[in-house]
Amino acid sequence: MGGTSLTTLDQTIGPGRILRRGTALPYRWLEHRAGEPHLVRNNLVGPRWQPPAPPDRRPLLCFAHMTDLQIADVQSPARFEFFQREFGDPRFAALLPVQRPQEALVVHAVEALARTLRQLNGGPVTGTPLTMAVITGDAIDNAQWNELQMFLALMDGGRVRPGSGGPSYEGVQSTDWPDQIFWRPEGESPHGVDLWTGQYGFPSYPGLLDDALTEFDTPGLGFPWLGCYGNHEALVQGVGAQTRHVLEYLVGGRKPVDPPEQLDRDRALEMFIRCPEAFLTGRQLPVTPDDARRGITRAEFVTAHFGAGHPHGHGFTSDNIRDSSAYYAYDDPASGVRLICLDTACPQGGADGVLDAVQEHWLEQRLIEVHSRYRAGDSREARSSHEDRPVVILSHHGPDTFADRHALPDRAQEPRPLVQGGELVALLHRFPNVVVWLNGHRHINQVQPRPDPAGYGGFWEVTTGSVMGWPSQARLVELVDNGDGTLSVVCTMVDHDSPLSPNLAQGRARLASLHRELAANVPWGVPGTPLAGTPGDRNVDLPVPIRSSTTARRSSGARST
């Protein structure tokens, strides 16, 4: 029934022959490898369950999942790239990486993924056309207005302006930047051989930065998409609070080269979370100011999604504008599937997720609206007059990356308790039509069953890796009624269709290809490291019991709900 030949079912990508040798690691080209079939994971339905024959499976919804694009203004004055020198110090682990060799090229990787998704004929299991995409946060990198404009243009179509400031590149990858920790694609520098060239064999590409930062027009995704608010939309480099001093520095004309002379490494993370401007007192260099680099608030992020021709806000609603909130429920008109997007970013600082009791109560009400029966807070069965419908949860953070602390509300002084990740999982277990929780943040492909301890099925947590880093993919998600009282969440990874070698491509396809090749050669993301996940985290068929009027009654092969 499948309708696509552009997925990793047909072929995958892995490391190829060595192009150059560094003192620590070789730099490799990429090559095509055998495809990966769907792996059935029956953790939630019992070992006897088998996928029904294709004619007995009814498609409900097919959509794409992308996350952690981290579209960056690579010349921003308020990026703290010098932290990269502390890569071996565990006290800085929550701040790193702050700069990646391929980040100036990420807009071209995003455009290539959008182009590839437009070409798909349908989901590989059902042939159902791709209805929408969901982007689960960290679409941008440094909570800046110009980054947000790049993202919206890439999704909706329009003019993409990767550069900022002056007419030529002013940043840490230039040949005259006084630091060897960053890859210099232009080649030789008066400051000597950079770390990436010497230790990891990275090649030279003269003229690359000018090409990467050239403006271009793009048609966008070409189909609807839903947005989400992540920590990089809310915070400086996804960690530090947007204080008044940092906001002024963003649009100014000085960029830091070094940290302060007296750097307390034991308190560096805590200090950066609360007052990142403390790290703007070291040596600096002049750069061209740019008002478009201004920081954005949550309200500005949401309002920007209501652009010309998009009155529905890509999931966000007028309630979000009124309340300065970023959580919403979206009902797919064709399938009846409800997608609930949570806001898990903490504007007070820190990369971990947060969710308060107000949003928890809102979530509970939205779940009740699509359940005829569920467990109340006291564990007794409750009934309603509502129709049963499948539920997909979207958020940037998953339950294992929630903060174990209190947070301040935006305009108050008293702390308020936060809902912990385990408490949120327990809430979702009370509602049997929750089938999958899609998230990002961890830059890794991972699929985890979340069985209900009470024995009533459970749901799947599906974390997708970043577009910014290896393997730079999107994930197709098909919801399939199996006709036996179960619903399958079928996931299929998609590589963008750019040539494997940048030497075989021209124009923007060359830049997208090089982005992927560079991402595959950074030491923390090379193929074989955990980021790409295992086969059980990629192309998978994830059945789950469901009580829903959109599915047939279950057979005895699945656990009762």
Side-chain angles (χ1 to χ4, degrees):
M1 295 177 64
T4 178
S5 60
L6 294 172
T7 72
T8 56
L9 294 172
D10 303 298
Q11 61 184 12
T12 58
I13 297 174
R17 65 186 181 89
I18 294 173
L19 174 62
R20 290 165 53 97
R21 292 189 181 273
T23 58
L25 289 173
Y27 184 96
R28 295 180 179 272
W29 277 334
L30 297 174
E31 65 179 13
H32 281 124
R33 298 186 171 185
E36 290 185 340
H38 285 122
L39 177 66
V40 177
R41 297 187 57 179
N42 53 15
N43 307 65
L44 300 180
V45 294
R48 292 183 297 167
W49 188 90
Q50 294 291 328
D56 297 326
R57 308 184 86 179
R58 182 169 65 90
L60 298 178
L61 181 63
C62 177
F63 60 96
H65 179 209
M66 292 190 290
T67 191
D68 297 86
L69 285 58
Q70 292 194 243
I71 296 167
D73 173 5
V74 295
Q75 302 173 87
S76 172
R79 296 186 81 216
F80 298 77
E81 294 102 333
F82 53 73
F83 282 139
Q84 203 73 10
R85 301 175 195 164
E86 311 296 336
F87 206 88
D89 190 332
R91 292 171 292 185
F92 290 82
L95 294 170
L96 299 171
V98 288
Q99 200 277 338
R100 301 167 176 87
Q102 73 274 17
E103 63 186 17
L105 305 171
V106 71
V107 291
H108 304 285
V110 173
E111 188 201 26
L113 267 178
R115 180 185 65 245
T116 303
L117 293 174
R118 287 197 306 271
Q119 297 176 46
L120 292 175
N121 297 324
V125 170
T126 65
T128 305
L130 199 60
T131 302
M132 70 176 87
V134 299
I135 294 91
T136 54
D138 282 9
I140 61 178
D141 186 67
N142 205 40
Q144 296 180 203
W145 177 255
N146 60 332
E147 294 176 338
L148 178 58
Q149 294 307 298
M150 283 189 272
F151 165 64
L152 294 174
L154 287 163
M155 295 295 103
D156 289 338
R159 188 74 167 172
V160 181
R161 297 179 171 86
S164 66
S168 59
Y169 174 78
E170 300 172 318
V172 298
Q173 290 186 274
S174 64
T175 56
D176 57 356
W177 192 264
D179 202 324
Q180 295 172 281
I181 198 70
F182 310 109
W183 177 51
R184 300 189 185 103
E186 305 296 327
E188 293 185 9
S189 165
H191 300 285
V193 177
D194 65 83
L195 176 146
W196 295 89
T197 301
Q199 292 194 20
Y200 307 122
F202 273 50
S204 298
Y205 283 94
L208 177 65
L209 292 171
D210 287 342
D211 291 344
L213 301 181
T214 298
E215 298 181 10
F216 62 93
D217 294 311
T218 180
L221 272 173
F223 51 86
W225 58 274
L226 303 179
C228 184
Y229 194 62
N231 55 293
H232 278 265
E233 277 84 19
L235 302 166
V236 177
Q237 303 231 230
V239 179
Q242 290 193 65
T243 64
R244 177 176 61 85
H245 295 294
V246 167
L247 292 175
E248 292 173 353
Y249 208 89
L250 271 174
V251 297
R254 307 289 296 178
K255 183 174 176 62
V257 176
D258 301 311
E261 291 185 7
Q262 302 300 321
L263 175 60
D264 185 348
R265 284 171 166 75
D266 291 327
R267 298 186 61 246
L269 176 59
E270 176 188 352
M271 183 67 69
F272 190 79
I273 288 173
R274 298 183 181 276
C275 53
E277 65 270 20
F279 297 90
L280 296 173
T281 59
R283 180 170 56 130
Q284 302 177 5
L285 290 177
V287 295
T288 306
D290 191 337
D291 289 340
R293 291 168 170 156
R294 65 181 178 84
I296 55 172
T297 64
R298 180 195 284 117
E300 289 172 318
F301 175 83
V302 169
T303 302
H305 285 69
F306 290 81
H310 299 281
H312 301 297
H314 298 295
F316 297 112
T317 69
S318 57
D319 289 344
N320 296 130
I321 295 178
R322 181 195 65 210
D323 301 334
S324 293
S325 62
Y327 48 88
Y328 60 85
Y330 174 85
D331 295 319
D332 177 64
S335 66
V337 173
R338 169 160 286 190
L339 296 96
I340 300 178
C341 182
L342 305 177
D343 171 10
T344 58
C346 179
Q348 289 76 39
D352 290 339
V354 297
L355 192 141
D356 63 20
V358 173
Q359 190 175 170
E360 180 191 35
H361 176 73
W362 173 90
L363 171 61
E364 183 179 33
Q365 297 307 304
R366 302 294 79 76
L367 291 169
I368 290 173
E369 292 170 353
V370 288
H371 283 82
S372 65
R373 288 187 294 169
Y374 59 95
R375 294 204 306 272
D378 58 6
S379 297
R380 292 185 295 181
E381 182 175 88
R383 295 178 179 266
S384 78
S385 60
H386 298 299
E387 179 184 4
D388 287 311
R389 289 191 275 145
V391 179
V392 175
I393 303 296
L394 309 173
S395 69
H396 181 61
H397 298 84
D400 295 334
T401 56
F402 272 51
D404 185 17
R405 55 185 171 83
H406 286 68
L408 292 175
D410 289 345
R411 295 181 178 86
Q413 296 300 316
E414 294 300 320
R416 63 188 180 199
L418 299 174
V419 179
Q420 301 303 306
E423 295 170 326
L424 194 53
V425 169
L427 170 63
L428 297 179
H429 278 151
R430 290 168 41 203
F431 294 90
N433 295 336
V434 175
V435 295
V436 63
W437 183 349
L438 294 170
N439 54 58
H441 184 62
R442 296 171 60 208
H443 293 216
I444 188 172
N445 288 326
Q446 187 174 59
V447 174
Q448 301 181 75
R450 294 286 183 175
D452 181 2
Y456 293 100
F459 62 90
W460 290 94
E461 181 188 354
V462 176
T463 303
T464 298
S466 72
V467 176
M468 168 61 86
W470 175 261
S472 306
Q473 296 172 315
R475 188 190 293 269
L476 289 185
V477 181
E478 296 174 88
L479 302 186
V480 185
D481 175 3
N482 292 316
D484 61 358
T486 68
L487 180 149
S488 275
V489 181
V490 182
C491 299
T492 312
M493 305 309 299
V494 178
D495 291 306
H496 59 75
D497 64 355
S498 306
L500 283 190
S501 172
N503 295 335
L504 301 176
Q506 295 181 340
R508 297 199 299 276
R510 170 179 173 265
L511 300 175
S513 175
L514 181 57
H515 174 275
R516 179 167 55 200
E517 183 179 275
L518 294 171
N521 280 280
V522 297
W524 60 84
V526 295
T529 55
L531 298 186
T534 69
D537 299 308
R538 296 191 290 259
N539 295 346
V540 286
D541 187 331
L542 309 172
V544 57
I546 188 170
R547 180 189 296 136
S548 172
S549 59
T550 66
T551 62
R553 293 297 89 195
R554 71 183 65 80
S555 70
S556 59
R559 296 176 183 170
S560 172
T561 61

